[in-house]
Amino acid sequence: MARVKCTVEYDGTRYSGYQIQPNGKTVQEEIEKALTTMHKGQHIRIISSGRTDAGVHAKGQVFHFDTDLSVPENRWVRALETLMPPDIYVKEAAYVPEDFHAQFDVKAKEYRYFVRPAKSRDVFRRRTVFHFPRQLDIGKMEEAVKYFEGTHDFTAFCSAKTTLKGNKIRTITRAELNRNGEELEFIVQGDGFLYNMVRIMMGTLLEIGEGKKEIDTIPRALREHNRRLAGFTTPGHGLFLWKVSY
């Protein structure tokens, strides 16, 4: 048996999330279906770096699986492309040591969230950018975003629906807001993320930019662990899992 590490990108619009679930089409299901076909009906289970919610996209999701097939590294990508829908693409595949683990070996993840703060909609970006048709003070948002950096308890920026039992302390090594034409790009990198954490962080920045919250809302929410101090949860379709580092 050999272990294969893959990097996959996908448009999450049509899917009920990444991870297999009882009801709804998922990205993991489509990948495992393709691998099972390659293995002549033998079910192949993949282990991923983590899950993404319904509508969320990925540029750099990572998974691994074990195989007894003797396929050259450069053939995996081509073979999987012929078996999967056009909105999922395994762009890299490589053999790795058998002790590599796509979930437990993760050192950092990077997410990016895209917002269009304009009155007019862009119909061609409607599936990948959150349209926010209200005026924003971008300068205040750029100042506020740096408060996310460092090691904090992110309880205030986690959905109440989380099933996590352990602590909610995470270290954010990079948090920045960039202007790209009419769009804003929120980039955040850290050693781990809680359920809906990035989407709540984005919602908080938008409320600060709109004048509904002050800049010191972020350090106060982090300090008091109070979800009600943080902002709303932005929709999933503006979010991308951008990169996973090992």
Side-chain angles (χ1 to χ4, degrees):
M1 295 288 282
R3 181 155 293 186
V4 182
K5 172 191 173 187
C6 295
T7 302
V8 59
E9 59 183 25
Y10 51 85
D11 176 343
T13 304
R14 297 192 307 123
Y15 300 96
S16 299
Y18 179 83
Q19 190 175 48
I20 285 180
Q21 50 190 271
N23 301 307
K25 184 189 294 290
T26 67
V27 177
Q28 181 182 352
E29 177 186 3
E30 293 295 329
I31 296 172
E32 291 188 357
K33 191 186 303 181
L35 285 169
T36 297
T37 298
M38 286 187 66
H39 288 77
K40 309 297 185 185
Q42 175 192 352
H43 179 68
I44 300 298
R45 176 75 184 276
I46 65 173
I47 305 296
S48 308
S49 71
R51 68 183 72 180
T52 54
D53 293 333
V56 176
H57 317 290
K59 290 282 287 184
Q61 173 70 281
V62 175
F63 67 87
H64 80 255
F65 65 92
D66 294 327
T67 181
D68 55 8
L69 297 182
S70 297
V71 177
E73 278 188 347
N74 61 348
R75 296 283 181 87
W76 281 108
V77 170
R78 192 182 312 167
L80 287 169
E81 184 177 14
T82 64
L83 295 170
M84 287 202 287
D87 50 8
I88 303 175
Y89 176 55
V90 175
K91 58 184 182 180
E92 293 177 8
Y95 288 104
V96 291
E98 62 179 16
D99 61 349
F100 170 82
H101 199 283
Q103 180 182 0
F104 299 143
D105 290 349
V106 172
K107 299 298 183 185
K109 289 183 180 180
E110 179 182 315
Y111 285 90
R112 299 193 181 191
Y113 196 100
F114 296 88
V115 177
R116 178 183 170 83
K119 289 184 178 180
S120 63
R121 294 187 301 114
D122 184 340
V123 297
F124 300 107
R125 295 276 281 157
R126 70 190 186 280
R127 294 179 175 178
T128 54
V129 177
F130 174 40
H131 177 229
F132 192 79
R134 294 191 286 281
Q135 189 170 358
L136 296 172
D137 185 332
I138 308 300
K140 288 179 66 176
M141 296 171 69
E142 290 173 330
E143 183 180 348
V145 72
K146 289 302 178 183
Y147 283 102
F148 288 126
E149 293 184 345
T151 301
H152 310 285
D153 185 322
F154 281 91
T155 296
F157 296 89
C158 177
S159 169
K161 296 180 181 179
T162 184
T163 57
L164 179 68
K165 301 298 183 183
N167 73 63
K168 296 181 176 64
I169 297 174
R170 300 292 185 271
T171 298
I172 299 300
T173 54
R174 180 188 182 193
E176 62 185 64
L177 194 70
N178 297 323
R179 310 185 203 199
N180 297 321
E182 290 189 293
E183 293 181 6
L184 296 177
E185 179 187 39
F186 173 41
I187 303 175
V188 59
Q189 180 178 304
D191 62 357
F193 293 85
L194 305 170
Y195 184 43
N196 284 349
M197 179 171 156
V198 178
R199 291 162 61 185
I200 296 171
M201 293 165 81
M202 185 73 253
T204 305
L205 290 173
L206 287 171
E207 291 191 17
I208 289 172
E210 199 179 0
K212 290 184 175 180
K213 296 185 184 298
E214 298 300 322
I215 292 174
D216 65 1
T217 293
I218 294 175
R220 183 183 168 198
L222 290 169
R223 188 170 57 248
E224 298 184 18
H225 310 157
N226 187 343
R227 173 67 185 90
R228 286 176 292 183
L229 290 175
F232 71 104
T233 305
T234 53
H237 67 269
L239 181 63
F240 285 74
L241 172 56
W242 203 260
K243 182 180 180 182
V244 182
S245 300
Y246 292 89

